[in-house]
Amino acid sequence: MTWSAKLTAILFIVLTIATSCEDPSNIGLELDPENNQIGVFYIEIPLSASVVLQDSISTTNSGVLVFGNEESDFFGKTESIGYSRLFFNRDIARPTATAVLDSVRFLINMREVLTSDTINPKTINIHLLTEQIQDVNYFNFSSVAYDPNPLFSASFDFTNRQDTIVSTKINNALTQEIFSELKDGRYFQDIFAFRQFLPGLAFRAEEGENVGFSTNVGNNTGFIFYFKNEGDTVSRSYPIATGINFNLARHFSQVINDPSGTPLEVVTEKNRAYKLPEFLGSKATMGLQVKLDLSPLDIFLDTLSNVNFNQVTLEMGPLVDFSLIESPLTLIPYFTNESNRILLRKDDFPMIVQPDGGPQVDPVTSEPAFTYSAAHLFLTNTQNSYSQQLTSHINAVYRKKIKRTDYLLIPGFVNRQTQTITQDFRINLKEYVVRQNTIKLKIFYSRSRSL
């Protein structure tokens, strides 16, 4: 049997540190005992994890309104509400004093609909704010007052598409009042008078429908008034929306979670790591993240000398009760410690585990490298598990080029081309759950031996 065949066969064998009683220099399963110069070994190191509820997650002006009403065995009951100001367009002529209203439609530019049930329509409730959104920073626990009675409610069928623009026709006392004020113009002279008249809207999902929405803020989320001026033969339109072109109205999203009766009910303090007995998971915008304990790696590395890591893979999963309707989160492994917060470099860039083949150390500062890239954990299609290769990173840790730390897994994506970090943890309600005993490092390493 060839070495590669032996390597493939051995992938199915689990050998942990605790079960090894070999010489520490040869710990692991030797893959090629006939080779008397290079010893190649394989080992799996189980890792444990905890959950951390982050505080102060700003959801202000993320470009997305997050709202939903969900319930699950692990996360409990979660409601999210999206709040937004409105804009009117000064460049479009308002209706004249004798104009006649044809109709009013409300558009919602859906970014994602997260549900395992797309057969039944989903209801969206729009409420009028009774308090203005201020020019301050809002967080996932923030709120402003709104009328508890919906301005209107509408149900939509998302069977075929979840990323689409939906709309509904509305005709009520408020739309009649808005059109009357459009013709009069007194509240449309400046933005401050307009906000006194229309403070904004709150977006909510219907309780019991188990759905999460994320909606794009902008031209295609808001009112369109269709009318005819005297003498017109065709309708004109006037938008009052959550954005005009690239100018987005101030907005934010709130998350209210009730974990009663779930494993998460013990999680009461922010930024404290809680070890759960069987399951753990993460939910975006709620701020619940997974922290991986890498200390078992220290025990293993201390037993080694003169080795090289050929391949190191971090695996987590398979996921529990994962719905294919929910496109998976991508996870960024940030450096963390007992503070349970992201560690920062001296230049305030975050410390992120770098991908294989790339630099792991900043040659100028000797800190962990920051290259607008990351060793993202992706969900594999075949095994429904998160996975990523960390060979270069573990080699750097072993050679003491960088310090071994724990990882804080936060949803997002680091884009080298645009030099941005997409903060997926504040623009949707995606989630995942795994079992504690499914997290491991799979390590192939070699050790030179004398002739």
Side-chain angles (χ1 to χ4, degrees):
M1 181 181 293
T2 64
W3 187 90
S4 60
K6 292 179 182 179
L7 183 61
T8 302
I10 209 65
L11 282 170
F12 300 96
I13 300 175
V14 175
L15 181 66
T16 65
I17 296 175
T19 60
S20 176
C21 57
E22 298 182 45
D23 183 302
S25 298
N26 293 338
I27 199 166
L29 183 64
E30 188 170 7
L31 300 183
D32 194 7
E34 296 178 2
N35 190 322
N36 64 358
Q37 293 186 13
I38 301 294
V40 181
F41 303 90
Y42 172 74
I43 192 169
E44 289 188 7
I45 301 179
L47 302 179
S48 63
S50 52
V51 295
V52 177
L53 188 60
Q54 293 184 298
D55 64 354
S56 302
I57 294 179
S58 173
T59 58
T60 307
N61 293 348
S62 66
V64 172
L65 291 175
V66 177
F67 56 103
N69 220 308
E70 303 172 302
E71 187 170 359
S72 72
D73 293 338
F74 183 77
F75 295 101
K77 294 181 179 180
T78 305
E79 182 182 13
S80 184
I81 305 171
Y83 303 86
S84 181
R85 288 173 175 170
L86 293 169
F87 273 149
F88 68 95
N89 196 332
R90 299 172 183 270
D91 298 328
I92 298 178
R94 291 183 291 102
T96 62
T98 57
V100 176
L101 181 64
D102 285 343
S103 63
V104 183
R105 298 199 74 85
F106 193 88
L107 279 66
I108 304 176
N109 185 0
M110 304 306 305
R111 184 174 181 269
E112 289 176 313
V113 180
L114 305 179
T115 180
S116 57
D117 171 28
T118 55
I119 297 176
N120 297 304
K122 302 301 178 184
T123 304
I124 296 175
N125 303 303
I126 305 298
H127 300 251
L128 185 65
L129 298 187
T130 57
E131 175 187 354
Q132 288 199 39
I133 295 175
Q134 304 297 321
D135 293 328
V136 298
N137 202 10
Y138 289 92
F139 301 91
N140 60 344
F141 52 79
S142 304
S143 65
V144 293
Y146 58 88
D147 189 335
N149 299 310
L151 175 61
F152 68 90
S153 300
S155 295
F156 303 100
D157 183 357
F158 295 104
T159 303
N160 297 320
R161 282 191 63 183
Q162 287 77 48
D163 56 336
T164 185
I165 297 176
V166 296
S167 69
T168 185
K169 191 173 181 178
I170 57 174
N171 181 15
N172 55 30
L174 180 63
T175 57
Q176 294 291 336
E177 183 183 1
I178 293 173
F179 186 70
S180 176
E181 296 298 342
L182 269 171
K183 292 192 293 183
D184 179 83
R186 59 176 173 164
Y187 290 119
F188 291 83
Q189 300 302 315
D190 61 69
I191 194 65
F192 303 105
F194 174 74
R195 288 176 190 162
Q196 288 288 338
F197 173 53
L198 280 179
L201 302 174
F203 292 65
R204 299 181 66 194
E206 189 75 7
E207 185 176 1
E209 292 188 354
N210 217 27
V211 63
F213 297 102
S214 56
T215 294
N216 292 313
V217 176
N219 298 7
N220 293 318
T221 297
F223 299 95
I224 299 183
F225 289 79
Y226 296 95
F227 64 93
K228 288 180 183 177
N229 288 327
E230 187 175 359
D232 284 346
T233 57
V234 294
S235 260
R236 301 171 184 263
S237 63
Y238 194 94
I240 298 178
T242 56
I244 298 175
N245 299 324
F246 297 105
N247 191 10
L248 304 183
R250 194 170 190 81
H251 58 276
F252 69 97
S253 301
Q254 174 193 17
V255 175
I256 307 162
N257 177 254
D258 179 8
S260 301
T262 75
L264 293 181
E265 65 181 353
V266 301
V267 181
T268 57
E269 297 180 33
K270 301 289 183 68
N271 290 114
R272 174 183 168 186
Y274 288 85
K275 182 74 176 292
L276 304 180
E278 186 176 3
F279 299 100
L280 57 95
S282 177
K283 191 173 183 68
T285 308
M286 174 182 165
L288 187 73
Q289 314 298 358
V290 168
K291 177 185 179 181
L292 294 188
D293 178 4
L294 272 291
S295 61
L297 181 62
D298 292 339
I299 302 171
F300 172 60
L301 296 182
D302 287 344
T303 68
L304 302 178
S305 61
N306 300 321
V307 303
N308 186 68
F309 293 94
N310 309 105
Q311 181 177 301
V312 180
T313 305
L314 172 61
E315 289 188 2
M316 185 171 69
L319 273 60
V320 178
D321 296 331
F322 177 73
S323 169
L324 293 179
I325 297 299
E326 299 186 17
S327 55
L329 290 166
T330 297
L331 306 177
I332 303 173
Y334 289 91
F335 288 52
T336 191
N337 56 17
E338 63 278 0
S339 70
N340 303 314
R341 300 175 186 270
I342 296 172
L343 301 183
L344 302 178
R345 292 163 30 114
K346 293 176 182 177
D347 55 12
D348 287 334
F349 282 114
M351 293 186 184
I352 298 174
V353 179
Q354 296 299 292
D356 263 7
Q360 302 295 312
V361 183
D362 189 316
V364 177
T365 65
S366 299
E367 297 176 293
F370 180 83
T371 62
Y372 277 109
S373 189
H376 299 96
L377 271 69
F378 295 104
L379 195 68
T380 59
N381 294 328
T382 54
Q383 298 178 344
N384 205 20
S385 300
Y386 279 104
S387 178
Q388 183 53 267
Q389 305 233 347
L390 303 178
T391 313
S392 299
H393 174 75
I394 298 302
N395 268 312
V397 170
Y398 174 64
R399 286 164 174 75
K400 303 188 183 304
K401 301 293 185 181
I402 54 177
K403 183 181 178 181
R404 197 281 303 160
T405 70
D406 295 333
Y407 301 159
L408 197 60
L409 304 181
I410 299 183
F413 192 83
V414 185
N415 193 320
R416 177 176 289 178
Q417 289 185 336
T418 60
Q419 294 195 342
T420 57
I421 300 177
T422 301
Q423 296 179 326
D424 218 20
F425 62 87
R426 70 185 193 123
I427 58 174
N428 57 56
L429 289 170
K430 293 179 182 180
E431 61 186 47
Y432 70 88
V433 178
V434 297
R435 293 182 182 275
Q436 280 276 11
N437 61 1
T438 62
I439 309 170
K440 62 193 71 173
L441 284 171
K442 294 184 174 182
I443 300 175
F444 292 92
Y445 66 99
S446 58
R447 174 176 177 270
S448 297
R449 296 184 297 195
S450 58
L451 293 174

